[in-house]
Protein backbone atom coordinates (compact mmCIF):
# COMPACT_ATOMS: atom_id res chain seq x y z
CA UNK A 1 0.00 0.00 0.00
CA UNK A 2 1.60 3.26 -1.12
CA UNK A 3 0.72 6.49 0.65
CA UNK A 4 -1.91 7.44 -1.95
CA UNK A 5 -3.80 4.19 -1.21
CA UNK A 6 -4.20 4.91 2.48
CA UNK A 7 -7.70 6.09 3.44
CA UNK A 8 -6.29 9.01 5.47
CA UNK A 9 -4.35 10.40 2.49
CA UNK A 10 -5.91 12.82 0.01
CA UNK A 11 -5.07 12.76 -3.69
CA UNK A 12 -5.79 15.11 -6.58
CA UNK A 13 -8.50 14.68 -9.20
CA UNK A 14 -7.65 13.04 -12.53
CA UNK A 15 -7.37 16.27 -14.57
CA UNK A 16 -5.25 17.98 -11.92
CA UNK A 17 -2.99 14.91 -11.70
CA UNK A 18 -2.49 15.01 -15.48
CA UNK A 19 -1.54 18.69 -15.27
CA UNK A 20 0.89 17.95 -12.43
CA UNK A 21 2.59 15.18 -14.43
CA UNK A 22 2.75 17.42 -17.49
CA UNK A 23 4.40 20.12 -15.43
CA UNK A 24 6.90 17.57 -14.09
CA UNK A 25 7.82 16.49 -17.62
CA UNK A 26 8.36 20.11 -18.64
CA UNK A 27 10.53 20.70 -15.59
CA UNK A 28 12.68 17.66 -16.40
CA UNK A 29 13.14 18.77 -20.00
CA UNK A 30 14.07 22.25 -18.84
CA UNK A 31 16.62 20.76 -16.45
CA UNK A 32 18.19 18.54 -19.09
CA UNK A 33 18.49 21.53 -21.43
CA UNK A 34 20.88 23.07 -18.88
CA UNK A 35 23.32 20.14 -18.96
CA UNK A 36 25.51 21.39 -21.88
CA UNK A 37 26.13 24.64 -19.98
CA UNK A 38 27.37 22.94 -16.79
CA UNK A 39 30.74 21.51 -17.85
CA UNK A 40 29.23 18.01 -18.04
CA UNK A 41 32.55 16.22 -18.63
CA UNK A 42 34.29 17.79 -15.62
CA UNK A 43 34.35 15.93 -12.34
CA UNK A 44 36.11 13.37 -10.14
CA UNK A 45 35.77 10.36 -12.46
CA UNK A 46 36.13 9.38 -16.10
CA UNK A 47 34.34 11.24 -18.90
CA UNK A 48 31.30 8.95 -18.93
CA UNK A 49 31.00 8.94 -15.14
CA UNK A 50 31.23 12.72 -15.07
CA UNK A 51 28.59 13.09 -17.79
CA UNK A 52 26.33 10.62 -15.99
CA UNK A 53 26.79 12.53 -12.76
CA UNK A 54 25.89 15.85 -14.37
CA UNK A 55 22.78 14.45 -16.09
CA UNK A 56 21.66 12.62 -12.95
CA UNK A 57 22.21 15.66 -10.74
CA UNK A 58 20.22 17.94 -13.02
CA UNK A 59 17.40 15.42 -13.51
CA UNK A 60 16.92 14.76 -9.79
CA UNK A 61 17.22 18.45 -8.94
CA UNK A 62 14.50 19.27 -11.46
CA UNK A 63 12.30 16.48 -10.16
CA UNK A 64 12.71 17.50 -6.52
CA UNK A 65 12.40 21.21 -7.17
CA UNK A 66 9.13 20.74 -9.01
CA UNK A 67 7.70 18.12 -6.66
CA UNK A 68 8.40 20.13 -3.52
CA UNK A 69 6.31 22.98 -4.93
CA UNK A 70 3.19 20.85 -5.43
CA UNK A 71 0.28 20.70 -2.96
CA UNK A 72 0.50 17.47 -0.99
CA UNK A 73 -2.52 15.89 -2.74
CA UNK A 74 -0.89 16.44 -6.14
CA UNK A 75 2.43 15.18 -4.82
CA UNK A 76 0.78 11.94 -3.70
CA UNK A 77 -0.96 11.51 -7.06
CA UNK A 78 2.32 11.90 -8.96
CA UNK A 79 4.02 9.52 -6.53
CA UNK A 80 1.27 6.95 -7.12
CA UNK A 81 1.65 7.21 -10.89
CA UNK A 82 5.41 6.71 -10.68
CA UNK A 83 4.88 3.72 -8.39
CA UNK A 84 2.44 2.22 -10.92
CA UNK A 85 5.06 2.58 -13.65
CA UNK A 86 7.71 0.94 -11.45
CA UNK A 87 5.31 -1.88 -10.55
CA UNK A 88 4.76 -2.57 -14.24
CA UNK A 89 8.39 -2.32 -15.35
CA UNK A 90 10.72 -3.37 -12.53
CA UNK A 91 9.53 -6.91 -11.53
CA UNK A 92 10.12 -8.40 -15.01
CA UNK A 93 13.39 -6.49 -15.38
CA UNK A 94 14.91 -7.66 -12.08
CA UNK A 95 13.41 -11.10 -12.65
CA UNK A 96 15.01 -11.60 -16.04
CA UNK A 97 18.23 -9.61 -15.69
CA UNK A 98 18.89 -10.15 -12.00
CA UNK A 99 17.05 -13.41 -11.34
CA UNK A 100 15.37 -11.79 -8.34
CA UNK A 101 11.68 -12.19 -7.56
CA UNK A 102 9.47 -9.57 -5.90
CA UNK A 103 6.69 -10.69 -3.55
CA UNK A 104 4.20 -8.53 -1.67
CA UNK A 105 3.78 -9.27 2.03
CA UNK A 106 2.60 -7.75 5.30
CA UNK A 107 4.69 -8.03 8.45
CA UNK A 108 3.51 -6.74 11.80
CA UNK A 109 0.58 -5.06 10.04
CA UNK A 110 2.94 -3.11 7.75
CA UNK A 111 2.99 -3.80 4.02
CA UNK A 112 6.04 -4.08 1.84
CA UNK A 113 7.82 -6.21 -0.71
CA UNK A 114 10.31 -9.06 -0.47
CA UNK A 115 13.22 -9.23 -2.89
CA UNK A 116 14.76 -12.72 -3.07
CA UNK A 117 17.03 -14.62 -5.41
CA UNK A 118 14.98 -17.01 -7.52
CA UNK A 119 17.23 -19.91 -6.56
CA UNK A 120 17.06 -19.24 -2.80
CA UNK A 121 15.44 -21.61 -0.30
CA UNK A 122 12.53 -19.22 0.34
CA UNK A 123 11.83 -18.57 -3.33
CA UNK A 124 8.41 -19.38 -4.73
CA UNK A 125 10.01 -20.18 -8.09
CA UNK A 126 10.53 -23.91 -8.52
CA UNK A 127 12.64 -23.99 -11.70
CA UNK A 128 15.95 -24.36 -9.88
CA UNK A 129 17.35 -27.84 -9.28
CA UNK A 130 19.52 -26.68 -6.40
CA UNK A 131 18.31 -24.10 -3.90
CA UNK A 132 20.82 -21.81 -2.17
CA UNK A 133 20.69 -20.95 1.52
CA UNK A 134 19.75 -17.38 2.38
CA UNK A 135 22.72 -15.67 4.02
CA UNK A 136 20.62 -13.27 6.09
CA UNK A 137 17.59 -10.98 6.16
CA UNK A 138 17.67 -7.25 5.50
CA UNK A 139 14.99 -4.84 6.71
CA UNK A 140 15.33 -1.95 4.26
CA UNK A 141 13.85 1.46 4.96
CA UNK A 142 13.62 3.42 1.72
CA UNK A 143 14.66 7.04 1.41
CA UNK A 144 12.69 10.09 0.38
CA UNK A 145 13.37 12.64 3.09
CA UNK A 146 10.69 11.08 5.37
CA UNK A 147 8.01 12.33 2.96
CA UNK A 148 8.15 10.46 -0.37
CA UNK A 149 8.96 7.48 -2.64
CA UNK A 150 7.73 3.86 -2.34
CA UNK A 151 9.20 0.37 -1.85
CA UNK A 152 8.76 -0.59 -5.50
CA UNK A 153 10.90 2.36 -6.58
CA UNK A 154 13.78 0.63 -4.76
CA UNK A 155 13.32 -2.80 -6.31
CA UNK A 156 16.27 -2.48 -8.72
CA UNK A 157 18.69 -1.37 -5.99
CA UNK A 158 17.40 -4.05 -3.62
CA UNK A 159 17.91 -6.66 -6.33
CA UNK A 160 21.54 -5.57 -6.63
CA UNK A 161 21.94 -5.96 -2.85
CA UNK A 162 20.37 -9.42 -3.01
CA UNK A 163 22.87 -10.54 -5.63
CA UNK A 164 25.97 -9.22 -3.86
CA UNK A 165 25.01 -10.25 -0.31
CA UNK A 166 23.02 -13.46 -0.73
CA UNK A 167 20.42 -12.00 1.64
CA UNK A 168 16.67 -11.63 1.29
CA UNK A 169 15.40 -8.05 1.59
CA UNK A 170 12.09 -6.72 2.89
CA UNK A 171 11.40 -3.09 1.91
CA UNK A 172 8.86 -1.71 4.35
CA UNK A 173 6.04 0.59 3.22
CA UNK A 174 6.14 2.73 6.35
CA UNK A 175 3.96 5.81 6.93
CA UNK A 176 5.40 9.17 5.93
CA UNK A 177 4.96 12.87 6.66
CA UNK A 178 3.20 15.24 6.50
CA UNK A 179 0.16 13.00 6.93
CA UNK A 180 2.02 10.84 9.47
CA UNK A 181 4.84 12.74 11.24
CA UNK A 182 7.30 11.31 13.74
CA UNK A 183 7.06 8.78 15.34
CA UNK A 184 4.74 6.98 12.88
CA UNK A 185 7.54 5.75 10.60
CA UNK A 186 9.64 4.55 13.53
CA UNK A 187 6.70 2.66 15.00
CA UNK A 188 6.03 0.97 11.65
CA UNK A 189 9.69 -0.01 11.31
CA UNK A 190 9.62 -1.41 14.86
CA UNK A 191 6.51 -3.47 14.09
CA UNK A 192 8.20 -4.97 11.05
CA UNK A 193 11.31 -5.73 13.12
CA UNK A 194 9.21 -7.45 15.78
CA UNK A 195 7.29 -9.30 13.10
CA UNK A 196 10.48 -10.65 11.57
CA UNK A 197 11.63 -11.90 14.97
CA UNK A 198 8.24 -13.56 15.49
CA UNK A 199 8.60 -15.30 12.13
CA UNK A 200 11.80 -16.87 13.36
CA UNK A 201 14.43 -14.52 11.98
CA UNK A 202 17.42 -14.56 14.34
CA UNK A 203 18.65 -11.00 15.09
CA UNK A 204 22.18 -12.33 14.51
CA UNK A 205 21.19 -12.85 10.87
CA UNK A 206 19.31 -9.56 10.50
CA UNK A 207 20.59 -6.32 8.96
CA UNK A 208 18.79 -2.98 9.16
CA UNK A 209 19.53 -0.75 6.19
CA UNK A 210 18.33 2.50 4.68
CA UNK A 211 19.24 5.53 2.63
CA UNK A 212 18.67 9.25 3.10
CA UNK A 213 15.57 9.69 5.31
CA UNK A 214 15.31 5.89 5.50
CA UNK A 215 18.86 5.83 6.84
CA UNK A 216 17.88 8.31 9.52
CA UNK A 217 14.82 6.20 10.27
CA UNK A 218 17.06 3.12 10.59
CA UNK A 219 19.10 4.84 13.31
CA UNK A 220 15.89 5.96 15.04
CA UNK A 221 14.79 2.32 14.99
CA UNK A 222 17.98 1.27 16.77
CA UNK A 223 17.28 3.81 19.53
CA UNK A 224 13.69 2.50 19.74
CA UNK A 225 14.95 -1.08 20.08
CA UNK A 226 17.19 0.03 22.96
CA UNK A 227 14.35 1.81 24.73
CA UNK A 228 12.06 -1.23 24.41
CA UNK A 229 14.63 -3.91 25.34
CA UNK A 230 14.59 -5.55 21.92
CA UNK A 231 17.72 -7.26 20.59
CA UNK A 232 19.93 -5.29 18.24
CA UNK A 233 20.46 -6.52 14.68
CA UNK A 234 23.70 -8.06 13.48
CA UNK A 235 24.65 -4.93 11.54
CA UNK A 236 23.37 -1.75 9.94
CA UNK A 237 24.06 -0.37 6.45
CA UNK A 238 23.44 3.30 5.68
CA UNK A 239 23.66 5.21 2.41
CA UNK A 240 23.90 9.01 2.82
CA UNK A 241 21.76 8.89 5.98
CA UNK A 242 19.80 11.97 7.01
CA UNK A 243 20.81 11.84 10.66
CA UNK A 244 21.21 15.52 11.63
CA UNK A 245 17.94 17.39 11.19
CA UNK A 246 19.42 20.54 12.72
CA UNK A 247 20.84 21.20 9.22
CA UNK A 248 23.41 23.57 10.72
CA UNK A 249 26.61 22.04 9.32
CA UNK A 250 28.76 23.98 6.83
CA UNK A 251 28.26 21.38 4.09
CA UNK A 252 24.52 22.13 4.01
CA UNK A 253 25.38 25.47 2.41
CA UNK A 254 28.80 24.84 0.87
CA UNK A 255 27.75 21.73 -1.05
CA UNK A 256 24.31 22.91 -2.13
CA UNK A 257 25.53 23.73 -5.64
CA UNK A 258 27.01 20.24 -6.10
CA UNK A 259 24.29 18.04 -4.59
CA UNK A 260 21.02 16.69 -5.98
CA UNK A 261 19.05 17.90 -2.96
CA UNK A 262 17.08 21.16 -2.97
CA UNK A 263 18.94 24.00 -1.27
CA UNK A 264 16.04 24.24 1.22
CA UNK A 265 15.59 20.76 2.72
CA UNK A 266 12.14 20.21 4.28
CA UNK A 267 12.18 18.60 7.74
CA UNK A 268 9.32 20.44 9.50
CA UNK A 269 6.59 18.12 8.09
CA UNK A 270 8.30 15.13 9.69
CA UNK A 271 9.25 16.75 12.99
CA UNK A 272 5.88 18.46 13.62
CA UNK A 273 7.09 20.16 16.81
CA UNK A 274 9.83 17.71 17.81
CA UNK A 275 13.13 19.50 18.28
CA UNK A 276 15.58 18.71 15.45
CA UNK A 277 18.40 17.98 17.92
CA UNK A 278 16.34 15.28 19.67
CA UNK A 279 18.45 12.11 19.41
CA UNK A 280 15.35 10.11 18.49
CA UNK A 281 15.34 11.87 15.10
CA UNK A 282 18.98 13.04 14.91
CA UNK A 283 21.25 10.25 16.10
CA UNK A 284 24.30 12.50 15.65
CA UNK A 285 23.20 14.18 18.89
CA UNK A 286 22.97 10.88 20.76
CA UNK A 287 25.57 8.81 22.61
CA UNK A 288 25.95 5.41 20.92
CA UNK A 289 27.07 2.37 22.86
CA UNK A 290 28.29 -0.93 21.37
CA UNK A 291 26.02 -2.76 23.83
CA UNK A 292 22.98 -1.64 21.84
CA UNK A 293 24.28 -0.01 18.65
CA UNK A 294 25.23 -2.56 15.97
CA UNK A 295 28.32 -2.62 13.74
CA UNK A 296 27.64 -0.05 11.03
CA UNK A 297 28.54 0.45 7.40
CA UNK A 298 27.99 4.00 6.14
CA UNK A 299 28.82 5.63 2.82
CA UNK A 300 28.28 9.16 1.54
CA UNK A 301 29.42 11.60 -1.09
CA UNK A 302 32.14 14.14 -0.51
CA UNK A 303 30.05 16.74 -2.33
CA UNK A 304 26.73 16.12 -0.61
CA UNK A 305 24.96 18.46 1.77
CA UNK A 306 24.74 15.94 4.63
CA UNK A 307 28.51 15.27 4.52
CA UNK A 308 29.58 17.05 7.72
CA UNK A 309 26.77 15.58 9.82
CA UNK A 310 27.64 12.06 8.63
CA UNK A 311 31.32 12.63 9.35
CA UNK A 312 30.42 13.63 12.91
CA UNK A 313 28.20 10.54 13.24
CA UNK A 314 31.08 8.30 12.18
CA UNK A 315 33.41 10.00 14.65
CA UNK A 316 30.84 9.46 17.41
CA UNK A 317 30.60 5.74 16.59
CA UNK A 318 34.36 5.31 16.58
CA UNK A 319 34.79 7.21 19.83
CA UNK A 320 32.17 5.00 21.46
CA UNK A 321 33.85 1.80 20.28
CA UNK A 322 31.12 0.80 17.81
CA UNK A 323 32.64 -1.10 14.85
CA UNK A 324 32.19 1.11 11.79
CA UNK A 325 33.19 0.93 8.15
CA UNK A 326 32.99 4.36 6.51
CA UNK A 327 33.39 5.35 2.87
CA UNK A 328 33.37 8.93 1.62
CA UNK A 329 33.59 9.10 -2.16
CA UNK A 330 35.21 12.24 -3.54
CA UNK A 331 33.02 14.51 -5.63
CA UNK A 332 29.90 12.34 -5.34
CA UNK A 333 26.45 13.54 -4.35
CA UNK A 334 23.64 12.21 -2.16
CA UNK A 335 22.77 8.46 -2.46
CA UNK A 336 25.02 8.05 -5.50
CA UNK A 337 25.15 4.19 -5.30
CA UNK A 338 21.38 4.14 -5.87
CA UNK A 339 21.23 6.80 -8.58
CA UNK A 340 24.45 5.84 -10.40
CA UNK A 341 25.10 2.12 -9.77
CA UNK A 342 27.39 1.94 -12.83
CA UNK A 343 29.86 4.54 -11.49
CA UNK A 344 33.22 3.35 -10.20
CA UNK A 345 32.52 4.95 -6.81
CA UNK A 346 29.28 2.99 -6.53
CA UNK A 347 30.99 -0.26 -7.50
CA UNK A 348 33.59 0.26 -4.75
CA UNK A 349 30.81 0.81 -2.21
CA UNK A 350 28.88 -2.28 -3.26
CA UNK A 351 31.99 -4.48 -3.21
CA UNK A 352 32.82 -3.30 0.31
CA UNK A 353 29.25 -3.84 1.46
CA UNK A 354 29.29 -7.38 0.09
CA UNK A 355 32.44 -8.18 2.08
CA UNK A 356 31.00 -6.72 5.27
CA UNK A 357 27.77 -8.72 4.87
CA UNK A 358 29.88 -11.88 4.88
CA UNK A 359 31.79 -10.65 7.94
CA UNK A 360 28.87 -9.70 10.18
CA UNK A 361 26.05 -12.01 9.11
CA UNK A 362 26.57 -15.74 9.59
CA UNK A 363 24.28 -17.97 7.46
CA UNK A 364 21.36 -19.27 9.50
CA UNK A 365 21.03 -23.06 9.34
CA UNK A 366 17.29 -22.61 9.97
CA UNK A 367 16.89 -20.21 7.02
CA UNK A 368 15.16 -22.84 4.91
CA UNK A 369 11.88 -22.07 6.63
CA UNK A 370 9.69 -19.59 4.77
CA UNK A 371 9.34 -16.26 6.50
Amino acid sequence: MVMADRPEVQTASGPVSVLAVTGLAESLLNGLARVPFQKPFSGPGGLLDNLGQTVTRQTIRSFMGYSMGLPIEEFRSVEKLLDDVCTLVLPPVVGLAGKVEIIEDEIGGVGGIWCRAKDSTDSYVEDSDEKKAIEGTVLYLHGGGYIGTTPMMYAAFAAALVRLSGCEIFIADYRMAPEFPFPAGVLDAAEVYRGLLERGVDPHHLIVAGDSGGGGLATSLITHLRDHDLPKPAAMALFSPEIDLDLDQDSIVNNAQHDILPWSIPVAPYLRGVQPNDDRVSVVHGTPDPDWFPPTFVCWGGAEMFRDGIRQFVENLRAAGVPVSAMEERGMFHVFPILMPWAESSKRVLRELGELAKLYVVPDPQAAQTH
Side-chain angles (χ1 to χ4, degrees), residues 70-370:
L70 291 174
I72 185 60
E73 63 270 17
E74 295 181 34
F75 178 89
R76 291 300 178 211
S77 294
V78 171
E79 181 182 63
K80 170 65 173 173
L81 176 61
L82 294 177
D83 181 77
D84 289 343
V85 172
C86 290
T87 300
L88 178 66
V89 173
L90 291 181
V93 169
V94 301
L96 292 173
K99 300 189 181 303
V100 171
E101 63 178 348
I102 298 175
I103 304 163
E104 293 185 3
D105 197 1
E106 186 175 291
I107 303 177
V110 179
I113 58 173
W114 282 105
C115 295
R116 294 190 181 106
K118 286 186 175 182
D119 58 357
S120 69
T121 51
D122 278 1
S123 172
Y124 289 109
V125 179
E126 301 296 338
D127 59 358
S128 177
D129 295 331
E130 185 176 342
K131 295 286 189 177
K132 297 179 181 177
I134 291 174
E135 300 292 327
T137 300
V138 177
L139 167 56
Y140 195 93
L141 303 172
H142 66 78
Y146 302 99
I147 60 176
T149 76
T150 70
M152 190 58 74
M153 294 180 188
Y154 277 76
F157 181 63
L161 296 182
V162 168
R163 293 193 299 272
L164 70 90
S165 69
C167 294
E168 59 178 359
I169 297 178
F170 184 76
I171 311 175
D173 187 20
Y174 60 88
R175 291 171 293 173
M176 294 181 290
E179 296 94 340
F180 302 100
F182 176 84
V186 180
L187 296 178
D188 284 354
E191 287 305 313
V192 175
Y193 191 91
R194 287 191 185 92
L196 288 171
L197 298 183
E198 290 170 359
R199 290 191 182 194
V201 176
D202 190 321
H204 294 97
H205 312 295
L206 179 57
I207 299 173
V208 173
D211 68 282
S212 192
L217 189 63
T219 62
S220 293
L221 171 61
I222 299 302
T223 301
H224 181 93
L225 298 180
R226 175 202 64 187
D227 293 342
H228 291 79
D229 295 321
L230 289 168
K232 69 179 181 181
M236 183 163 58
L238 306 174
F239 306 88
S240 296
E242 190 174 357
I243 39 78
D244 185 1
L245 300 190
D246 254 339
L247 303 179
D248 61 349
Q249 301 277 6
D250 290 342
S251 59
I252 294 292
V253 175
N254 296 341
N255 284 348
Q257 62 179 317
H258 306 296
D259 208 355
I260 62 167
L261 295 171
W263 63 267
S264 180
I265 300 171
V267 296
Y270 176 65
L271 293 174
R272 194 77 67 85
V274 175
Q275 293 303 306
N277 61 358
D278 189 317
D279 66 357
R280 295 175 299 166
V281 295
S282 295
V283 70
V284 72
H285 295 291
T287 305
D289 189 300
D291 287 341
W292 57 269
F293 208 98
T296 297
F297 168 84
V298 57
C299 70
W300 69 96
E304 75 166 272
M305 296 168 71
F306 295 153
R307 182 196 64 196
D308 293 352
I310 299 173
R311 285 177 176 175
Q312 183 62 56
F313 170 59
V314 170
E315 290 179 10
N316 293 349
L317 292 180
R318 286 174 172 159
V322 176
V324 59
S325 177
M327 297 182 70
E328 178 179 312
E329 290 295 326
R330 184 176 66 89
M332 297 306 290
F333 46 59
H334 188 62
V335 296
F336 64 90
I338 299 171
L339 297 176
M340 293 181 60
W342 65 85
E344 286 303 316
S345 295
S346 302
K347 292 176 182 178
R348 284 193 292 270
V349 165
L350 294 176
R351 284 194 296 267
E352 179 70 13
L353 184 59
E355 292 302 315
L356 287 171
K358 297 174 185 176
L359 176 64
Y360 287 118
V361 181
V362 180
D364 187 351
Q366 305 299 321
Q369 63 182 353
T370 299

Side-chain angles (χ1 to χ4, degrees), residues 42 50 173 216 256:
S42 300
N50 293 338
D173 187 20

